[in-house]
Amino acid sequence: MFRRIGAAVVRHPVWTIVAWLIAAVAIVATAPGLPSNSDESSFLPKSYESIKAADLQQKAFPSAFTPSAIALYQRTDGGRLTAADQKDVARITTELGAKKIDQVQKVVPGPPSKDGRYAMTLVQMDSKSAGQPVQADAARTLREDVRQLAKGTHLDVRLGGSAAQALDQQDSSKRGQALIGFGTFAIILVTLLIIFRAPILAVLPLVLIGLVSAVANGLIAYATKVFGLQANSSISSILIVVLFGVGTDYFLFLMFRYRERLRAGDEPKEAMINAVGRVGEAIASAAGAVIIAFLALVLSTLGFLKQMGPALAIAVAATLVAGLTLIPAVVSLIGPKVFWPSKSWQKEPENARFAALGRAVRRRPALTAVASGLVLLALSAGTLGYKATFDLASGSMPKTKESMVVQDRMQKAYSAGAAAPTDVYLSSTDGKPLDKNAFAGYARKLGAVDGVASARMSQLNKDGTTADFTVTLKYEASTDRAIEAVQGVRDVAHADAPAGTEALVGGMSAIYKDIDTAVNHDYRTVFPVAAVLIMVILGLLLRSVVAPWYLMASVGLGFGATLGATVWIFQKGEGHSGLMFMLPVIMYLFVVAIGTDYNILMIARLREEAREGRDPREAAGMALRHAGPTVAAAGFILAATFATMMLAGNSLLTEMGFAVSFGIAIAAFVMAMFFTPSLTALIGHAAWWPGHGDRAQQAAGTVPAQAADMDDRDPAGRGR
């Protein structure tokens, strides 16, 4: 099938390119805008208690004051606020409210800090637009206006709160995307120049994948609108890396095989047809594994991951189609001139490093398997210290951003949990008014929970059927201690609710607790489903039920090694309280799915070498010799492109960039290069049971394509 695709594309390259250009223009011109949402609560389904509590608040207390932005004042000299300073704060608050800024519903003064050094202005915005870009725009206006109003005073004022965090996250994301995009381009360009010493070949994937990127983003925008998915600014940064990293991988898979066929003496167009025919199945299987793994995220309960899965799957699918059509069409049109001015493409180097590595694996497969396995196991030990952190806002931007500075100062000046209190909503189950005499006792029980600073009944709805108890925790909302404390609040709120009532616990700490529950659900659901589906793809590709098991086991070890190394670097080395909560899910999917690409390429080449009549050990050595350079180049480029995410300057993308790049390096340079071929050599023909995928396929009077390739090599197995 893939040879037929290659033949059709190579014989009609101009029409293939024109079809891509028409599709790109049509999709980009008509695609809707991609929305963004930074509201953590919107990532959870409505079945979770924190979301039920938020819905109840809207119904019972529609006019309840919930600040979306907080202006924090302190003197420029750091001293206590004077009476004149407090008058200035009151004036600024009044004038800010009089400006009638879009989205702003109410502006009121907040309480001063106990040490008298800080004062606040609290700004309420339309709750229906929480987390949307329109509130980030309102925060930008507020920030400019409040600074203008504070001019001429002794006050230093900074804007924080959820709307300001959304603004800073948006600005940080734009900067991060620019750095990631530039870094990705530079790495691909420089690395391809070093590998091929051909400027056309270095620039070509950037141009072609740029076209694919425009198509993929348009398709993602369509899918987001049609299926009502959530979007997040971090997805754009990940998309850049996936499109260019994976796209370059497939480009390299094809170009290395194209160069090999040219060295074997094929006519240029026939060389490309043979290249697509040979490596097309490996590319399709590799892309299929990645797409399946990403689509498994649809089973997630988190809106953030539900959006990421289909978006990345669409990106990889577009890259796959381009890898089998657009890239072969363009390269076949250019021909061998694509390698200009280098002459090295015409013959394989005599003393290839990978030939030496192949001989080492062939001679000592057991030692190679044990040594590489021990490296993976040793790194995996770090997983025992893994802890999660749930503050997506602070994880998505540097600590120096204004909203993060406000959050840090408020934690020191006020009770750590004051900025995001927990609410317990006590409601009558029979529609009758609540017994007010029970409120004091209920509040005392809530206040006695470990980790609670204070608890009080703050408001009652008009019908008297729902009461709001404000519970202030001793810890900042996203910390492990706050999440543990809110579980204690829930236990007491439910167990000690008066007869005829039910309690719902909401607030940011409750949302983080529910996110923790949702992520644990995803671990039990997404991981196994993705693993099983990838194993099915491997089984279909290799026609074996044995090989997929040890291939997935090796990838599992790679995941453990990656998570362990990340824990050691960031938790032990950098002193982070934990890793971002969604990191293991993302890491699993990237390392397992994309890491499987290299295993697929290596094992497919090993099978091809075995079909030429080589014994298992010799086949493993030759596979490493011929597929090793492709795996090394692709693995390095993809790992380096993911590493550019560390340039974004926030802990989420820094941790993600390191983890995924390290995992891909492990997948390429440990698993695919040594662990997988050495295990396959040790297991021998049994690895292909119940089929005979490694046996030479030669009928009487015919010569298989694989054997025909041998005629183009010298007795040592080198290509011409």
Side-chain angles (χ1 to χ4, degrees), residues 467-488:
D468 177 8
F469 292 81
T470 300
V471 178
T472 304
L473 303 179
K474 295 178 181 178
Y475 317 111
E476 196 274 320
S478 65
T479 61
D480 291 340
R481 291 177 129 190
I483 292 167
E484 290 173 9
V486 87
Q487 183 57 53

Side-chain angles (χ1 to χ4, degrees), residues 73 90-108 121 123-124 137-151 159:
Y73 306 88
R91 174 185 60 79
I92 292 170
T93 301
T94 301
E95 292 183 13
L96 199 62
K99 286 182 174 289
K100 303 296 182 184
I101 298 169
D102 180 47
Q103 293 293 307
V104 173
Q105 295 178 328
K106 193 180 296 184
V107 181
V108 300
T121 293
V123 181
Q124 178 177 314
D137 294 340
R140 191 186 303 277
T141 304
L142 279 167
R143 186 171 280 170
E144 293 170 356
D145 287 351
V146 77
R147 282 179 180 159
Q148 189 66 34
L149 292 170
K151 278 188 177 180
L159 193 76

Side-chain angles (χ1 to χ4, degrees), residues 546-616:
V546 175
W549 286 98
Y550 69 80
L551 290 175
M552 286 305 296
S554 72
V555 173
L557 276 175
F559 168 76
T562 302
L563 181 57
T566 308
V567 168
W568 273 330
I569 293 291
F570 292 98
Q571 286 186 208
K572 308 297 184 185
E574 297 290 326
H576 292 192
S577 60
L579 303 179
M580 290 305 296
F581 67 90
M582 81 281 280
L583 188 63
V585 176
I586 294 171
M587 188 191 307
Y588 175 85
L589 292 166
F590 278 98
V591 174
V592 170
I594 297 178
T596 303
D597 282 10
Y598 305 126
N599 266 344
I600 287 174
L601 187 70
M602 184 62 72
I603 202 77
R605 185 59 189 246
L606 194 151
R607 179 185 62 179
E608 187 178 323
E609 296 293 339
R611 283 177 169 176
E612 293 179 353
R614 295 184 171 90
D615 64 52

Side-chain angles (χ1 to χ4, degrees), residues 249-327:
D249 263 12
Y250 299 160
F251 180 82
L252 285 171
F253 288 2
L254 192 65
M255 292 310 301
F256 270 96
R257 185 55 72 100
Y258 176 58
R259 185 177 67 178
E260 183 180 328
R261 296 312 310 155
L262 288 173
R263 286 172 175 172
D266 286 1
E267 183 271 330
K269 288 190 179 296
E270 190 64 24
M272 180 55 74
I273 294 171
N274 284 335
V276 175
R278 292 299 185 83
V279 84
E281 186 179 22
I283 291 176
S285 299
V290 178
I291 291 168
I292 288 293
F294 287 157
L295 286 178
L297 284 175
V298 173
L299 300 174
S300 170
T301 50
L302 292 171
F304 172 75
L305 295 177
K306 276 181 178 289
Q307 159 69 6
M308 180 182 288
L312 296 179
I314 290 169
V316 174
T319 307
L320 167 62
V321 175
L324 296 177
T325 59
L326 180 62
I327 293 172

Side-chain angles (χ1 to χ4, degrees), residues 693-706:
D694 64 330
R695 303 302 173 92
Q697 298 176 345
Q698 183 172 353
T702 63
V703 179
Q706 292 86 349

Side-chain angles (χ1 to χ4, degrees), residues 32-39 42-44 216-239 242 291 293-316 392 522 526 582 585-586 589-590:
L34 188 64
S36 181
N37 196 333
S38 59
D39 180 17
S42 69
F43 300 153
L44 287 168
N217 276 293
L219 294 174
I220 290 165
Y222 273 119
T224 301
K225 181 178 181 179
V226 170
F227 297 105
L229 301 172
Q230 298 290 348
N232 184 274
S233 54
S234 297
I235 291 176
S236 298
S237 302
I238 299 169
L239 271 174
V242 169
I291 291 168
F294 287 157
L295 286 178
L297 284 175
V298 173
L299 300 174
S300 170
T301 50
L302 292 171
F304 172 75
L305 295 177
K306 276 181 178 289
Q307 159 69 6
M308 180 182 288
L312 296 179
I314 290 169
V316 174
L392 188 59
D522 292 350
V526 177
M582 81 281 280
V585 176
I586 294 171
L589 292 166
F590 278 98

Side-chain angles (χ1 to χ4, degrees), residues 83 238 320 410 427 509 531 541 552 657 661 678 710:
I238 299 169
L320 167 62
M410 284 188 64
S427 299
S509 293
L541 169 68
M552 286 305 296
S661 61
S678 59
M710 291 299 293

Side-chain angles (χ1 to χ4, degrees), residues 435-470:
D435 180 7
K436 297 180 182 179
N437 295 324
F439 290 171
Y442 190 61
R444 279 196 301 273
K445 290 176 181 177
L446 293 173
V449 174
D450 186 33
V452 172
S454 64
R456 61 186 176 83
M457 203 289 286
S458 54
Q459 57 185 332
L460 188 68
N461 72 339
K462 292 180 180 179
D463 300 331
T465 55
T466 300
D468 177 8
F469 292 81
T470 300

